[in-house]
Amino acid sequence: MNDKLKNFSGNLEGDLFYDSLWRRIFATDASVYRTIPQAVAYPATVQDIKELISFARRNKTSLIPRTAGTSLAGQCVGEGIVVDVSKYFTKIIDLNVEKKTVKVQPGVIRDDLNRFLQAHDLFFGPNTSTSNRCMIGGMVGNNSSGTTSIKYGVTRDKVVEMKVLLSDGSEAVFSEITSEEFSNKLQLDSMEGEIYRKLYEELKPEVVRQQITAGFPKPEIHRRNTGYAVDELILAEVLGGNEEKINICKLLCGSEGTLAFTTEITLQLDELPPSNAVMIAAHFDSVEKCLQAVVPAMRHSLFTCEMMDKVILDCTKNSLKYKENRFFIEGDPAAILMLEIRATSQKELTNRTAELLKTLTDSGLAYALPVLRNDTIELAQELRKAGLGLLGNIVGDRKAVACIEDTAVAVEDLAAYISEFSKLMKNYGQEAVYYAHAGAGELHLRPILNLKKDEDVALFRKITEEVASLVKKYGGSMSGEHGDGRVRAEFIRFMIGDENYDLLKRVKHIFDPVNIFNPGKIIDAPPMDESLRYEPGRKEPEIKTLMDFSDSLGILRGVENCNGSGDCRKPAEAGGTMCPSYRATRNEKDTTRARANALREFLTHSNKPNRFDHEELKEVLDLCISCKGCKSECPSNVDMAAYKAEFQYQYNQVNGSSIRSRAFAFNAEMNKKTSKISPFSNFMFSNSLTASILKKTMGIAPQRSLPPLSRQTLSAYYRKNQRKIKDPIKTVYLFNDEFTNYLDSEVGVAAIKLLNGLNYEVKIIDHPESGRGFISKGFLKEAREVANKNIGIFTEIISEESPLLGLEPSAILSFRDEYLRLADDKAAAAQVSKNAFLLEEFFKKEVVAGNITANSFTSDKKRIKLHGHCHQKALSGIENTFVMLNLPENFEVTVIPSGCCGMAGSFGYEKEHYEVSMQIGEQTLFPAVRKASEETLIAAPGTSCRHQIFDGTGKKALHPVSIMAEALK
């Protein structure tokens, strides 16, 4: 097949990959399944998709459509060619404000669409927890719903028209048509006409209509995806129903790419909801009480009615990103019901809030009713939306498994259904997870299982079988919004009966007689417990590492924490840092998810003595810039920067390291020597001839400027200018990192002047470098030696009263991050980490304590734009720097909503990475800096960031400490 694919690839304007790395990356989605595909295609045009359809027909293979790949039921997993439209099919084609419709390609991200529509006071209603990266094509394929379905309906309700490619490669447009237009369609001499004719033949008989009505879920359950939506089609007048028009889009929506390949989608939009909003976060001491409160609450006009249980809430306690969002939680609730009200006026909102509070109070079910307003609502919603990914944080092999997580029943049946469900789970010794869309009769219920064990795989099936029987008893749907896919398709026949299931098989054959579109989903699915991500009963390899990954029970289980939720695919417009390289290339290969998948694949299945010794791993990690965005922004806290450092170390043990890598790793030692002749060194760096020779020799991008050495090291300055402060507020130790000491000593001087001027005594003692260069290039033995020495030096002298302060985030924050994995003395490392801070963190604490006030600073007006360092954002928070810079009374500070600057230490210097580095900078940072007026100061704590800003915009950025030192009276 590879020869055929190689010959075929020239037919495509887009990309086709069939090597081992790409195939393994696409072997999984966000489900429990794993199947290695034949190839991965990124079609660039509709003609490319036609070519792929023709190739699949000729070679008896299949096409698996994919957008963000966040499906929970295995829809994107298969043996054929994965066709990913997320890279090139991303256009918003047309907006009709008058009709409130928009036409898009399937790769448009839901939140990107709504950002575009906001200027027109419109939005697309269905709102999934993955809305910042999920795409419209995937939402149509799964008939997604999300939090707003009780007010705005599901995706099927919003699809007006679909342009598709049929299995013979012909184009068809499906939209709402009258009975007369339907009759005209029956006359078409094409596959489209054949589809209309055969659907009419199948669905027109009254006996079939009765059979569908009797077998399908209750119609009042709005969120239902059971097989193909023939129960929606028979409502049309032409098929014996009462609705004047018929739209085949209702059938295609929720069909999971098994009937046709979608190229354009026209959506019905809604006006933006009222801006006045309140959320009541009702707290309950039991899940039962929470569910009993749903029916009375739903009598009010709610915009959302969402639930979180204790398991989800407890996961957020340990999340770096989400623990601050717990501000509204009182006590230790077993469940929280989040009830959102909106109104056009404040008076109406007040009245509606009072009415809902009265209902909840009168019920006597809730023990606390905090009321959230304005921005705090979004913080609470982000906490709930994070639930799915946070479940991946459970340490070890037991995980919350998606199989019965999408059941939906009528709202009136929900409490009784859950009561029976809970008893069923207790019989299996399970404490299930309950969260999501209570107001729509759907909770995402998950058993916690270890699918590496045969006995738990057996439970996986038994629990699903029993829950299917329970759902059928209540006339519910096994899938409310996540789709049938692989995990539930096996049960469709049981849920709707043999006659209805055979009907669905014939519908599939009508559209796809040669079975090329996503086979094995919905119809003729393999058993739910086959092709799992892990092989049950297999002895998992023990991977020895230099760094300590015991917090995740080893590096392999660390990468296995990635559950495929795809948070690393969110675009720059969605905020945050993760994942800079993906944002530049739009290739799945450059996501944190792909890197975790590749590490899991090769570490698990390698036959080599050193399981890290694979070129594929080197390739997939090449564009990882170790920003640490995933450490805080990934709900599963996948720490790819640490995994990359370990990979580089292990890989280098077999393959050695390049001269350039050694030069960057030992840069501090080189700077120590050349700083003694800094004028000569700086001449060599700045002279065009000598600089070009240096760059060419070292593989540095010719466009880069080389950073000059400081004329005087910070160590030398301190020895000459050390001051004894009389009655200091505190004595602090300044960590003289290798960047500040040799390249930015003026920043260190400013820090000393600032702290001395505020009556703090500053001490600098002899200590090694931070080891950042060693860590970034995988020289972990050297990094460990440095970490041990620094911990040994500082463990006895720093304390809460005499902390260790640093200026370069990537250096000082090593004490709180990598040192904990590298150090021999874990207890000492942990103790030191508690008292090692960025200077800005210390500054903020002292402001809160009243030791530093605005009186010490100028009243001059200044405008400042602040760009935060990635490590700072991941491990500390940019708000500390923001507070510090805002202290002078007339300083106006705005935070640039940028991710990574793109330099990332040595990454941006390396010639093969220069283009990607600058693309990352251009996403948000460079445009914001260029827009700033000449008088506006650009602040950036990171030395690499300041260098990147200069190379990308020509503007000089300042360390925030330098600005504050200059502002002292």
Side-chain angles (χ1 to χ4, degrees), residues 356 407 581:
L356 179 56
T407 60
S581 51

Side-chain angles (χ1 to χ4, degrees), residues 705-719:
S705 61
L706 296 174
L709 293 161
S710 298
R711 289 190 171 273
Q712 181 183 37
T713 65
L714 181 59
S715 298
Y717 171 84
Y718 180 76
R719 284 194 296 271

Side-chain angles (χ1 to χ4, degrees), residues 617 717 795 934:
L617 291 179
Y717 171 84
T795 189
E934 287 297 320

Side-chain angles (χ1 to χ4, degrees), residues 221 223-224 406-410 440-443 471 475-480:
I221 302 171
R223 301 162 72 108
R224 61 188 195 280
D406 201 31
T407 60
V409 297
E442 178 180 16
L443 292 183
V471 172
S477 176
M478 279 292 280
S479 172

Side-chain angles (χ1 to χ4, degrees), residues 103 140 161 201 371 414 547 554 671 676 761 799 804 821:
K103 182 181 290 186
V140 170
E161 180 180 283
E201 290 170 11
V371 179
L414 183 61
M547 297 178 88
N671 284 341
K676 295 171 183 175
E761 185 166 336
S799 64
L804 179 65
R821 297 194 186 277

Side-chain angles (χ1 to χ4, degrees), residues 136 228 658:
I136 300 300
Y228 300 127
S658 68

Side-chain angles (χ1 to χ4, degrees), residues 46 50 53 57 163-174 189-193 195 260-261 263 511 517:
V46 171
K50 289 182 178 181
I53 291 172
R57 291 175 66 95
K163 181 181 282 189
V164 303
L165 293 175
L166 301 175
S167 62
D168 66 346
S170 63
E171 292 190 33
V173 177
F174 293 108
D189 184 19
S190 62
M191 188 168 191
E192 180 187 356
I195 287 170
F261 203 107
T263 59
F511 279 87
F517 289 141

